[in-house]
Amino acid sequence: QVQLVESGGGLVQAGGSLRLSCASSGRPFTYYAMGWFRQAPGKEREFVAAISWTNTSIYYTDSVKGRFTISRDNAKNTVLLQMNSLKPEDTAVYYCAASRNTAQTMSKRSDDIDYWGKGTLVTVSS
């Protein structure tokens, strides 16, 4: 059974940093784009960042550009999201996702995501 398991969430003060990790089990995500989405309380889930299988294409939502960095280690089947200069508005449940589509497509739509993790909560206090 395929699973994506996120870790690294927690409580941090504004301006602080967290690093989220997503580990896949059950199969390697060869040729899959990987990404992160988030859902804040009372809001719809939104795209955060995506990275292609080859690490050559990376996309971010505008609100996290310059603060968040996505990376992946295909040998270890992991995807990381380094989050710096965190703001209270970054508070959300963060979900890892895998898609056979491109990273660019992942940045524009989420209705064809193949696998989702269960999420990890990030809380940024002011």
Side-chain angles (χ1 to χ4, degrees), residues 35-49:
W36 291 91
F37 290 75
R38 66 186 180 186
Q39 187 167 20
K43 295 187 178 180
E44 293 188 353
R45 187 156 49 188
E46 65 172 355
F47 167 77
V48 176

Side-chain angles (χ1 to χ4, degrees), residues 62-80:
D62 286 346
S63 63
V64 308
K65 286 179 181 176
R67 300 188 298 122
F68 291 11
T69 303
I70 188 172
S71 61
R72 67 189 292 171
D73 184 335
N74 292 331
K76 297 181 179 179
N77 292 325
T78 58
V79 179
L80 301 177

Side-chain angles (χ1 to χ4, degrees), residues 4 22 24 29 32-36 49-53 70 72 74 79 96-99 103 106:
L4 294 176
C22 172
S24 63
F29 283 92
Y32 278 64
M34 301 294 294
W36 291 91
I51 186 168
S52 64
W53 161 252
I70 188 172
R72 67 189 292 171
N74 292 331
V79 179
C96 180
S99 172
M106 182 179 277

Side-chain angles (χ1 to χ4, degrees), residues 11 17-19 21 28 30-31 33 38 57 61 67 95 98 110 116 126:
L11 173 64
S17 298
L18 283 174
R19 188 175 75 167
S21 178
T30 307
Y31 305 126
R38 66 186 180 186
S57 296
T61 190
R67 300 188 298 122
Y95 298 91
S110 62
W116 290 98
S126 57

Side-chain angles (χ1 to χ4, degrees), residues 85-126:
S85 302
L86 283 161
K87 303 175 181 180
E89 50 264 43
D90 295 317
T91 295
V93 177
Y94 284 71
Y95 298 91
C96 180
S99 172
R100 286 171 290 181
N101 243 314
T102 65
Q104 183 179 32
T105 299
M106 182 179 277
S107 73
K108 298 178 184 300
R109 55 187 290 184
S110 62
D111 58 330
D112 58 353
I113 297 294
D114 293 285
Y115 300 101
W116 290 98
K118 293 184 178 181
T120 184
L121 176 63
V122 172
T123 304
V124 184
S125 63
S126 57

